[in-house]
Amino acid sequence: MRGSFAARTRSTSSFWDLLLAITVRDLRVKYHGTFLSYFWWIAKPLTLGLVLYFALGRVLKIDVPHHAIFLLSALFPWFWFQGAVHASAGAFIANGGLLKKVQFPKLILPLSIVLGSTFEFVATLPVLIVLVIANGIDPSWTWIPGIIMLLALQFLLIAGVGTFVAALNVFFRDVAPGLDSILTLLFYVSPVIYPLDKVPPKFKAVLILNPLGPLLEAWRGLFMNGELPGLDIWPAVLFTAVALAAGWTLLHAVEKNIVDAL
């Protein structure tokens, strides 16, 4: 028993050591030769937020309290989800050479992408918090537990979806380009640029079932009103459980065939 426990402990330790090593490697490769890597992490949500604020707030005169923060508090987590899922699709294909040379748990590859994108998102949170406070919203003690809860939930959601699309893309190469259209559609059916209470009742039920809907609303409610996630976040929790199960099941089913398919 003691030997078996020690072996499992060493195996778990090796898994996390390798996961961290590959995550660091990917981040170094991604930003090799750049001097403004931190700026690029925040450039997309800030740029799109500025464009939407001008178009919707100044041109169309949409009246939303703290409109800039309303947009940014959803755009930051949205770009985390979008970037991580899109990058995860190529996790196995991009590392085909490594997979053919070394045997290790294949789950590490999509997880390393998710972990790296999570680090980028966490690093940008101070910028979002400064912008929230600069716009006259008082900081709240609920931000700390709320951020931890939503970080954990969204990390698990992305891990499940990312693992699923990574495994599927090895055998169906249309998955990666098809993600662009799916993510674009998901952007507009998620409450990024509009609040859920402005959606007509006949469409609201459909949008609420979108896991990103209550998740993004929870991020917005946390930063704008100091509200901790409530029971209305259940679609995101349910879909996260389904995504994790689907990702793990698919990867387990095709794991032995991935190297041959690359």
PDB file of all heavy atoms in Angstrom, residues 181-215:
ATOM      1  N   SER A 181     -16.027  30.590 -36.661  1.00  0.00           N
ATOM      2  CA  SER A 181     -17.435  30.928 -36.855  1.00  0.00           C
ATOM      3  C   SER A 181     -18.241  30.689 -35.580  1.00  0.00           C
ATOM      4  O   SER A 181     -19.108  31.496 -35.209  1.00  0.00           O
ATOM      5  CB  SER A 181     -18.020  30.101 -38.007  1.00  0.00           C
ATOM      6  OG  SER A 181     -17.350  30.380 -39.218  1.00  0.00           O
ATOM      7  N   ILE A 182     -17.946  29.587 -34.895  1.00  0.00           N
ATOM      8  CA  ILE A 182     -18.683  29.258 -33.671  1.00  0.00           C
ATOM      9  C   ILE A 182     -18.423  30.307 -32.588  1.00  0.00           C
ATOM     10  O   ILE A 182     -19.354  30.772 -31.908  1.00  0.00           O
ATOM     11  CB  ILE A 182     -18.289  27.857 -33.172  1.00  0.00           C
ATOM     12  CG1 ILE A 182     -18.757  26.799 -34.168  1.00  0.00           C
ATOM     13  CG2 ILE A 182     -18.886  27.588 -31.793  1.00  0.00           C
ATOM     14  CD1 ILE A 182     -18.263  25.399 -33.852  1.00  0.00           C
ATOM     15  N   LEU A 183     -17.174  30.708 -32.428  1.00  0.00           N
ATOM     16  CA  LEU A 183     -16.832  31.688 -31.404  1.00  0.00           C
ATOM     17  C   LEU A 183     -17.392  33.070 -31.742  1.00  0.00           C
ATOM     18  O   LEU A 183     -17.790  33.816 -30.841  1.00  0.00           O
ATOM     19  CB  LEU A 183     -15.316  31.758 -31.226  1.00  0.00           C
ATOM     20  CG  LEU A 183     -14.683  30.529 -30.559  1.00  0.00           C
ATOM     21  CD1 LEU A 183     -13.161  30.589 -30.638  1.00  0.00           C
ATOM     22  CD2 LEU A 183     -15.134  30.403 -29.110  1.00  0.00           C
ATOM     23  N   THR A 184     -17.428  33.395 -33.026  1.00  0.00           N
ATOM     24  CA  THR A 184     -18.048  34.669 -33.422  1.00  0.00           C
ATOM     25  C   THR A 184     -19.530  34.675 -33.086  1.00  0.00           C
ATOM     26  O   THR A 184     -20.062  35.655 -32.536  1.00  0.00           O
ATOM     27  CB  THR A 184     -17.859  34.921 -34.929  1.00  0.00           C
ATOM     28  OG1 THR A 184     -16.459  34.975 -35.230  1.00  0.00           O
ATOM     29  CG2 THR A 184     -18.523  36.220 -35.355  1.00  0.00           C
ATOM     30  N   LEU A 185     -20.210  33.581 -33.398  1.00  0.00           N
ATOM     31  CA  LEU A 185     -21.630  33.461 -33.061  1.00  0.00           C
ATOM     32  C   LEU A 185     -21.823  33.511 -31.549  1.00  0.00           C
ATOM     33  O   LEU A 185     -22.730  34.197 -31.054  1.00  0.00           O
ATOM     34  CB  LEU A 185     -22.182  32.152 -33.620  1.00  0.00           C
ATOM     35  CG  LEU A 185     -23.640  31.815 -33.264  1.00  0.00           C
ATOM     36  CD1 LEU A 185     -24.587  32.870 -33.838  1.00  0.00           C
ATOM     37  CD2 LEU A 185     -24.009  30.429 -33.772  1.00  0.00           C
ATOM     38  N   LEU A 186     -20.968  32.819 -30.814  1.00  0.00           N
ATOM     39  CA  LEU A 186     -21.088  32.780 -29.362  1.00  0.00           C
ATOM     40  C   LEU A 186     -20.889  34.163 -28.749  1.00  0.00           C
ATOM     41  O   LEU A 186     -21.513  34.497 -27.737  1.00  0.00           O
ATOM     42  CB  LEU A 186     -20.056  31.803 -28.790  1.00  0.00           C
ATOM     43  CG  LEU A 186     -20.206  31.403 -27.321  1.00  0.00           C
ATOM     44  CD1 LEU A 186     -21.570  30.763 -27.078  1.00  0.00           C
ATOM     45  CD2 LEU A 186     -19.089  30.441 -26.912  1.00  0.00           C
ATOM     46  N   PHE A 187     -20.041  34.966 -29.367  1.00  0.00           N
ATOM     47  CA  PHE A 187     -19.817  36.332 -28.875  1.00  0.00           C
ATOM     48  C   PHE A 187     -21.115  37.131 -28.881  1.00  0.00           C
ATOM     49  O   PHE A 187     -21.430  37.845 -27.924  1.00  0.00           O
ATOM     50  CB  PHE A 187     -18.763  37.030 -29.735  1.00  0.00           C
ATOM     51  CG  PHE A 187     -18.530  38.473 -29.372  1.00  0.00           C
ATOM     52  CD1 PHE A 187     -17.693  38.810 -28.322  1.00  0.00           C
ATOM     53  CD2 PHE A 187     -19.149  39.496 -30.085  1.00  0.00           C
ATOM     54  CE1 PHE A 187     -17.473  40.141 -27.978  1.00  0.00           C
ATOM     55  CE2 PHE A 187     -18.936  40.819 -29.756  1.00  0.00           C
ATOM     56  CZ  PHE A 187     -18.094  41.154 -28.706  1.00  0.00           C
ATOM     57  N   TYR A 188     -21.882  37.000 -29.955  1.00  0.00           N
ATOM     58  CA  TYR A 188     -23.091  37.813 -30.103  1.00  0.00           C
ATOM     59  C   TYR A 188     -24.294  37.240 -29.357  1.00  0.00           C
ATOM     60  O   TYR A 188     -25.253  37.973 -29.099  1.00  0.00           O
ATOM     61  CB  TYR A 188     -23.418  38.003 -31.584  1.00  0.00           C
ATOM     62  CG  TYR A 188     -22.439  38.938 -32.264  1.00  0.00           C
ATOM     63  CD1 TYR A 188     -21.457  38.445 -33.121  1.00  0.00           C
ATOM     64  CD2 TYR A 188     -22.477  40.306 -32.016  1.00  0.00           C
ATOM     65  CE1 TYR A 188     -20.549  39.295 -33.730  1.00  0.00           C
ATOM     66  CE2 TYR A 188     -21.571  41.165 -32.625  1.00  0.00           C
ATOM     67  CZ  TYR A 188     -20.610  40.659 -33.473  1.00  0.00           C
ATOM     68  OH  TYR A 188     -19.692  41.507 -34.056  1.00  0.00           O
ATOM     69  N   VAL A 189     -24.253  35.952 -29.014  1.00  0.00           N
ATOM     70  CA  VAL A 189     -25.358  35.404 -28.223  1.00  0.00           C
ATOM     71  C   VAL A 189     -24.992  35.360 -26.743  1.00  0.00           C
ATOM     72  O   VAL A 189     -25.706  34.771 -25.943  1.00  0.00           O
ATOM     73  CB  VAL A 189     -25.766  33.992 -28.717  1.00  0.00           C
ATOM     74  CG1 VAL A 189     -26.259  34.049 -30.145  1.00  0.00           C
ATOM     75  CG2 VAL A 189     -24.621  32.995 -28.566  1.00  0.00           C
ATOM     76  N   SER A 190     -23.876  35.989 -26.396  1.00  0.00           N
ATOM     77  CA  SER A 190     -23.488  36.151 -24.991  1.00  0.00           C
ATOM     78  C   SER A 190     -23.647  37.625 -24.627  1.00  0.00           C
ATOM     79  O   SER A 190     -23.435  38.505 -25.469  1.00  0.00           O
ATOM     80  CB  SER A 190     -22.029  35.714 -24.778  1.00  0.00           C
ATOM     81  OG  SER A 190     -21.846  34.361 -25.137  1.00  0.00           O
ATOM     82  N   PRO A 191     -23.996  37.918 -23.386  1.00  0.00           N
ATOM     83  CA  PRO A 191     -24.234  39.312 -22.981  1.00  0.00           C
ATOM     84  C   PRO A 191     -22.936  40.090 -22.781  1.00  0.00           C
ATOM     85  O   PRO A 191     -22.596  40.503 -21.668  1.00  0.00           O
ATOM     86  CB  PRO A 191     -25.011  39.159 -21.670  1.00  0.00           C
ATOM     87  CG  PRO A 191     -24.530  37.865 -21.108  1.00  0.00           C
ATOM     88  CD  PRO A 191     -24.286  36.975 -22.292  1.00  0.00           C
ATOM     89  N   VAL A 192     -22.203  40.259 -23.877  1.00  0.00           N
ATOM     90  CA  VAL A 192     -20.961  41.029 -23.811  1.00  0.00           C
ATOM     91  C   VAL A 192     -21.245  42.502 -24.047  1.00  0.00           C
ATOM     92  O   VAL A 192     -20.805  43.369 -23.290  1.00  0.00           O
ATOM     93  CB  VAL A 192     -19.932  40.521 -24.838  1.00  0.00           C
ATOM     94  CG1 VAL A 192     -18.657  41.358 -24.779  1.00  0.00           C
ATOM     95  CG2 VAL A 192     -19.618  39.055 -24.614  1.00  0.00           C
ATOM     96  N   ILE A 193     -22.020  42.798 -25.090  1.00  0.00           N
ATOM     97  CA  ILE A 193     -22.283  44.198 -25.444  1.00  0.00           C
ATOM     98  C   ILE A 193     -23.680  44.644 -25.046  1.00  0.00           C
ATOM     99  O   ILE A 193     -24.048  45.787 -25.283  1.00  0.00           O
ATOM    100  CB  ILE A 193     -22.073  44.428 -26.956  1.00  0.00           C
ATOM    101  CG1 ILE A 193     -23.031  43.565 -27.778  1.00  0.00           C
ATOM    102  CG2 ILE A 193     -20.634  44.135 -27.341  1.00  0.00           C
ATOM    103  CD1 ILE A 193     -22.915  43.801 -29.274  1.00  0.00           C
ATOM    104  N   TYR A 194     -24.441  43.747 -24.431  1.00  0.00           N
ATOM    105  CA  TYR A 194     -25.787  44.110 -23.988  1.00  0.00           C
ATOM    106  C   TYR A 194     -26.104  43.370 -22.688  1.00  0.00           C
ATOM    107  O   TYR A 194     -25.596  42.282 -22.454  1.00  0.00           O
ATOM    108  CB  TYR A 194     -26.831  43.755 -25.056  1.00  0.00           C
ATOM    109  CG  TYR A 194     -26.780  42.310 -25.494  1.00  0.00           C
ATOM    110  CD1 TYR A 194     -27.423  41.299 -24.773  1.00  0.00           C
ATOM    111  CD2 TYR A 194     -26.073  41.931 -26.639  1.00  0.00           C
ATOM    112  CE1 TYR A 194     -27.367  39.974 -25.172  1.00  0.00           C
ATOM    113  CE2 TYR A 194     -26.004  40.613 -27.036  1.00  0.00           C
ATOM    114  CZ  TYR A 194     -26.650  39.637 -26.304  1.00  0.00           C
ATOM    115  OH  TYR A 194     -26.586  38.325 -26.692  1.00  0.00           O
ATOM    116  N   PRO A 195     -26.932  43.944 -21.824  1.00  0.00           N
ATOM    117  CA  PRO A 195     -27.313  43.252 -20.587  1.00  0.00           C
ATOM    118  C   PRO A 195     -28.455  42.271 -20.846  1.00  0.00           C
ATOM    119  O   PRO A 195     -29.281  42.469 -21.743  1.00  0.00           O
ATOM    120  CB  PRO A 195     -27.789  44.399 -19.671  1.00  0.00           C
ATOM    121  CG  PRO A 195     -28.262  45.450 -20.624  1.00  0.00           C
ATOM    122  CD  PRO A 195     -27.418  45.330 -21.865  1.00  0.00           C
ATOM    123  N   LEU A 196     -28.502  41.214 -20.056  1.00  0.00           N
ATOM    124  CA  LEU A 196     -29.539  40.202 -20.229  1.00  0.00           C
ATOM    125  C   LEU A 196     -30.940  40.768 -20.027  1.00  0.00           C
ATOM    126  O   LEU A 196     -31.896  40.303 -20.644  1.00  0.00           O
ATOM    127  CB  LEU A 196     -29.318  39.033 -19.256  1.00  0.00           C
ATOM    128  CG  LEU A 196     -28.353  37.931 -19.710  1.00  0.00           C
ATOM    129  CD1 LEU A 196     -28.200  36.891 -18.614  1.00  0.00           C
ATOM    130  CD2 LEU A 196     -28.834  37.275 -20.996  1.00  0.00           C
ATOM    131  N   ASP A 197     -31.072  41.779 -19.170  1.00  0.00           N
ATOM    132  CA  ASP A 197     -32.416  42.312 -18.915  1.00  0.00           C
ATOM    133  C   ASP A 197     -32.969  43.112 -20.076  1.00  0.00           C
ATOM    134  O   ASP A 197     -34.132  43.510 -20.063  1.00  0.00           O
ATOM    135  CB  ASP A 197     -32.430  43.152 -17.633  1.00  0.00           C
ATOM    136  CG  ASP A 197     -31.446  44.312 -17.686  1.00  0.00           C
ATOM    137  OD1 ASP A 197     -30.923  44.616 -18.761  1.00  0.00           O
ATOM    138  OD2 ASP A 197     -31.207  44.926 -16.622  1.00  0.00           O
ATOM    139  N   LYS A 198     -32.146  43.374 -21.103  1.00  0.00           N
ATOM    140  CA  LYS A 198     -32.625  44.064 -22.302  1.00  0.00           C
ATOM    141  C   LYS A 198     -33.061  43.083 -23.394  1.00  0.00           C
ATOM    142  O   LYS A 198     -33.600  43.491 -24.419  1.00  0.00           O
ATOM    143  CB  LYS A 198     -31.527  44.969 -22.859  1.00  0.00           C
ATOM    144  CG  LYS A 198     -31.080  46.078 -21.914  1.00  0.00           C
ATOM    145  CD  LYS A 198     -32.163  47.102 -21.672  1.00  0.00           C
ATOM    146  CE  LYS A 198     -31.639  48.250 -20.808  1.00  0.00           C
ATOM    147  NZ  LYS A 198     -32.699  49.242 -20.506  1.00  0.00           N
ATOM    148  N   VAL A 199     -32.828  41.803 -23.159  1.00  0.00           N
ATOM    149  CA  VAL A 199     -33.175  40.787 -24.150  1.00  0.00           C
ATOM    150  C   VAL A 199     -34.666  40.479 -24.051  1.00  0.00           C
ATOM    151  O   VAL A 199     -35.192  40.301 -22.947  1.00  0.00           O
ATOM    152  CB  VAL A 199     -32.350  39.501 -23.921  1.00  0.00           C
ATOM    153  CG1 VAL A 199     -32.761  38.415 -24.902  1.00  0.00           C
ATOM    154  CG2 VAL A 199     -30.861  39.798 -24.041  1.00  0.00           C
ATOM    155  N   PRO A 200     -35.385  40.426 -25.184  1.00  0.00           N
ATOM    156  CA  PRO A 200     -36.816  40.065 -25.148  1.00  0.00           C
ATOM    157  C   PRO A 200     -37.025  38.713 -24.470  1.00  0.00           C
ATOM    158  O   PRO A 200     -36.211  37.799 -24.626  1.00  0.00           O
ATOM    159  CB  PRO A 200     -37.199  39.997 -26.639  1.00  0.00           C
ATOM    160  CG  PRO A 200     -36.206  40.889 -27.317  1.00  0.00           C
ATOM    161  CD  PRO A 200     -34.930  40.752 -26.543  1.00  0.00           C
ATOM    162  N   PRO A 201     -38.108  38.573 -23.695  1.00  0.00           N
ATOM    163  CA  PRO A 201     -38.353  37.340 -22.924  1.00  0.00           C
ATOM    164  C   PRO A 201     -38.300  36.061 -23.763  1.00  0.00           C
ATOM    165  O   PRO A 201     -37.842  35.031 -23.290  1.00  0.00           O
ATOM    166  CB  PRO A 201     -39.743  37.566 -22.340  1.00  0.00           C
ATOM    167  CG  PRO A 201     -39.878  39.056 -22.253  1.00  0.00           C
ATOM    168  CD  PRO A 201     -39.132  39.590 -23.446  1.00  0.00           C
ATOM    169  N   LYS A 202     -38.769  36.132 -25.022  1.00  0.00           N
ATOM    170  CA  LYS A 202     -38.811  34.910 -25.826  1.00  0.00           C
ATOM    171  C   LYS A 202     -37.419  34.406 -26.209  1.00  0.00           C
ATOM    172  O   LYS A 202     -37.250  33.246 -26.566  1.00  0.00           O
ATOM    173  CB  LYS A 202     -39.650  35.134 -27.081  1.00  0.00           C
ATOM    174  CG  LYS A 202     -39.111  36.196 -28.018  1.00  0.00           C
ATOM    175  CD  LYS A 202     -40.022  36.345 -29.236  1.00  0.00           C
ATOM    176  CE  LYS A 202     -39.534  37.420 -30.198  1.00  0.00           C
ATOM    177  NZ  LYS A 202     -40.423  37.548 -31.378  1.00  0.00           N
ATOM    178  N   PHE A 203     -36.419  35.295 -26.151  1.00  0.00           N
ATOM    179  CA  PHE A 203     -35.040  34.884 -26.457  1.00  0.00           C
ATOM    180  C   PHE A 203     -34.207  34.668 -25.202  1.00  0.00           C
ATOM    181  O   PHE A 203     -33.163  34.038 -25.259  1.00  0.00           O
ATOM    182  CB  PHE A 203     -34.348  35.927 -27.332  1.00  0.00           C
ATOM    183  CG  PHE A 203     -35.009  36.151 -28.657  1.00  0.00           C
ATOM    184  CD1 PHE A 203     -35.512  37.396 -29.003  1.00  0.00           C
ATOM    185  CD2 PHE A 203     -35.120  35.115 -29.569  1.00  0.00           C
ATOM    186  CE1 PHE A 203     -36.124  37.601 -30.221  1.00  0.00           C
ATOM    187  CE2 PHE A 203     -35.730  35.310 -30.791  1.00  0.00           C
ATOM    188  CZ  PHE A 203     -36.239  36.556 -31.125  1.00  0.00           C
ATOM    189  N   LYS A 204     -34.649  35.202 -24.076  1.00  0.00           N
ATOM    190  CA  LYS A 204     -33.836  35.178 -22.865  1.00  0.00           C
ATOM    191  C   LYS A 204     -33.571  33.754 -22.386  1.00  0.00           C
ATOM    192  O   LYS A 204     -32.472  33.431 -21.942  1.00  0.00           O
ATOM    193  CB  LYS A 204     -34.509  35.990 -21.763  1.00  0.00           C
ATOM    194  CG  LYS A 204     -33.644  36.155 -20.523  1.00  0.00           C
ATOM    195  CD  LYS A 204     -34.312  37.069 -19.498  1.00  0.00           C
ATOM    196  CE  LYS A 204     -34.415  38.491 -20.010  1.00  0.00           C
ATOM    197  NZ  LYS A 204     -34.913  39.401 -18.949  1.00  0.00           N
ATOM    198  N   ALA A 205     -34.582  32.879 -22.493  1.00  0.00           N
ATOM    199  CA  ALA A 205     -34.408  31.499 -22.026  1.00  0.00           C
ATOM    200  C   ALA A 205     -33.287  30.804 -22.790  1.00  0.00           C
ATOM    201  O   ALA A 205     -32.502  30.039 -22.211  1.00  0.00           O
ATOM    202  CB  ALA A 205     -35.714  30.727 -22.177  1.00  0.00           C
ATOM    203  N   VAL A 206     -33.199  31.074 -24.100  1.00  0.00           N
ATOM    204  CA  VAL A 206     -32.154  30.456 -24.918  1.00  0.00           C
ATOM    205  C   VAL A 206     -30.784  30.998 -24.520  1.00  0.00           C
ATOM    206  O   VAL A 206     -29.810  30.247 -24.379  1.00  0.00           O
ATOM    207  CB  VAL A 206     -32.419  30.719 -26.413  1.00  0.00           C
ATOM    208  CG1 VAL A 206     -31.284  30.146 -27.257  1.00  0.00           C
ATOM    209  CG2 VAL A 206     -33.744  30.098 -26.825  1.00  0.00           C
ATOM    210  N   LEU A 207     -30.687  32.319 -24.305  1.00  0.00           N
ATOM    211  CA  LEU A 207     -29.412  32.928 -23.969  1.00  0.00           C
ATOM    212  C   LEU A 207     -28.937  32.524 -22.584  1.00  0.00           C
ATOM    213  O   LEU A 207     -27.729  32.399 -22.345  1.00  0.00           O
ATOM    214  CB  LEU A 207     -29.522  34.459 -24.059  1.00  0.00           C
ATOM    215  CG  LEU A 207     -29.787  35.034 -25.453  1.00  0.00           C
ATOM    216  CD1 LEU A 207     -29.743  36.547 -25.421  1.00  0.00           C
ATOM    217  CD2 LEU A 207     -28.771  34.514 -26.458  1.00  0.00           C
ATOM    218  N   ILE A 208     -29.866  32.316 -21.661  1.00  0.00           N
ATOM    219  CA  ILE A 208     -29.482  31.912 -20.307  1.00  0.00           C
ATOM    220  C   ILE A 208     -28.843  30.526 -20.318  1.00  0.00           C
ATOM    221  O   ILE A 208     -27.954  30.224 -19.529  1.00  0.00           O
ATOM    222  CB  ILE A 208     -30.706  31.953 -19.370  1.00  0.00           C
ATOM    223  CG1 ILE A 208     -31.087  33.414 -19.086  1.00  0.00           C
ATOM    224  CG2 ILE A 208     -30.423  31.227 -18.064  1.00  0.00           C
ATOM    225  CD1 ILE A 208     -32.323  33.569 -18.231  1.00  0.00           C
ATOM    226  N   LEU A 209     -29.293  29.659 -21.246  1.00  0.00           N
ATOM    227  CA  LEU A 209     -28.723  28.317 -21.345  1.00  0.00           C
ATOM    228  C   LEU A 209     -27.309  28.326 -21.924  1.00  0.00           C
ATOM    229  O   LEU A 209     -26.598  27.337 -21.837  1.00  0.00           O
ATOM    230  CB  LEU A 209     -29.637  27.429 -22.202  1.00  0.00           C
ATOM    231  CG  LEU A 209     -31.004  27.111 -21.586  1.00  0.00           C
ATOM    232  CD1 LEU A 209     -31.841  26.288 -22.547  1.00  0.00           C
ATOM    233  CD2 LEU A 209     -30.841  26.375 -20.258  1.00  0.00           C
ATOM    234  N   ASN A 210     -26.929  29.436 -22.525  1.00  0.00           N
ATOM    235  CA  ASN A 210     -25.556  29.601 -22.981  1.00  0.00           C
ATOM    236  C   ASN A 210     -24.671  29.727 -21.737  1.00  0.00           C
ATOM    237  O   ASN A 210     -24.842  30.648 -20.948  1.00  0.00           O
ATOM    238  CB  ASN A 210     -25.466  30.856 -23.851  1.00  0.00           C
ATOM    239  CG  ASN A 210     -24.036  31.290 -24.108  1.00  0.00           C
ATOM    240  OD1 ASN A 210     -23.087  30.547 -23.886  1.00  0.00           O
ATOM    241  ND2 ASN A 210     -23.877  32.516 -24.582  1.00  0.00           N
ATOM    242  N   PRO A 211     -23.728  28.823 -21.521  1.00  0.00           N
ATOM    243  CA  PRO A 211     -22.939  28.847 -20.277  1.00  0.00           C
ATOM    244  C   PRO A 211     -22.171  30.140 -20.064  1.00  0.00           C
ATOM    245  O   PRO A 211     -21.927  30.546 -18.927  1.00  0.00           O
ATOM    246  CB  PRO A 211     -21.996  27.655 -20.429  1.00  0.00           C
ATOM    247  CG  PRO A 211     -21.921  27.410 -21.912  1.00  0.00           C
ATOM    248  CD  PRO A 211     -23.282  27.758 -22.430  1.00  0.00           C
ATOM    249  N   LEU A 212     -21.769  30.793 -21.163  1.00  0.00           N
ATOM    250  CA  LEU A 212     -21.038  32.042 -21.014  1.00  0.00           C
ATOM    251  C   LEU A 212     -21.942  33.198 -20.598  1.00  0.00           C
ATOM    252  O   LEU A 212     -21.457  34.199 -20.061  1.00  0.00           O
ATOM    253  CB  LEU A 212     -20.328  32.397 -22.326  1.00  0.00           C
ATOM    254  CG  LEU A 212     -19.043  31.635 -22.619  1.00  0.00           C
ATOM    255  CD1 LEU A 212     -18.436  32.110 -23.920  1.00  0.00           C
ATOM    256  CD2 LEU A 212     -18.050  31.785 -21.485  1.00  0.00           C
ATOM    257  N   GLY A 213     -23.256  33.061 -20.834  1.00  0.00           N
ATOM    258  CA  GLY A 213     -24.188  34.116 -20.456  1.00  0.00           C
ATOM    259  C   GLY A 213     -24.136  34.420 -18.964  1.00  0.00           C
ATOM    260  O   GLY A 213     -23.744  35.520 -18.554  1.00  0.00           O
ATOM    261  N   PRO A 214     -24.519  33.470 -18.111  1.00  0.00           N
ATOM    262  CA  PRO A 214     -24.468  33.733 -16.670  1.00  0.00           C
ATOM    263  C   PRO A 214     -23.057  33.931 -16.141  1.00  0.00           C
ATOM    264  O   PRO A 214     -22.854  34.634 -15.152  1.00  0.00           O
ATOM    265  CB  PRO A 214     -25.118  32.482 -16.064  1.00  0.00           C
ATOM    266  CG  PRO A 214     -25.037  31.431 -17.116  1.00  0.00           C
ATOM    267  CD  PRO A 214     -25.109  32.156 -18.419  1.00  0.00           C
ATOM    268  N   LEU A 215     -22.066  33.339 -16.803  1.00  0.00           N
ATOM    269  CA  LEU A 215     -20.690  33.496 -16.342  1.00  0.00           C
ATOM    270  C   LEU A 215     -20.212  34.932 -16.542  1.00  0.00           C
ATOM    271  O   LEU A 215     -19.649  35.555 -15.633  1.00  0.00           O
ATOM    272  CB  LEU A 215     -19.775  32.523 -17.080  1.00  0.00           C
ATOM    273  CG  LEU A 215     -18.313  32.435 -16.609  1.00  0.00           C
ATOM    274  CD1 LEU A 215     -18.246  32.065 -15.133  1.00  0.00           C
ATOM    275  CD2 LEU A 215     -17.557  31.411 -17.443  1.00  0.00           C
TER     276      LEU A 215
END
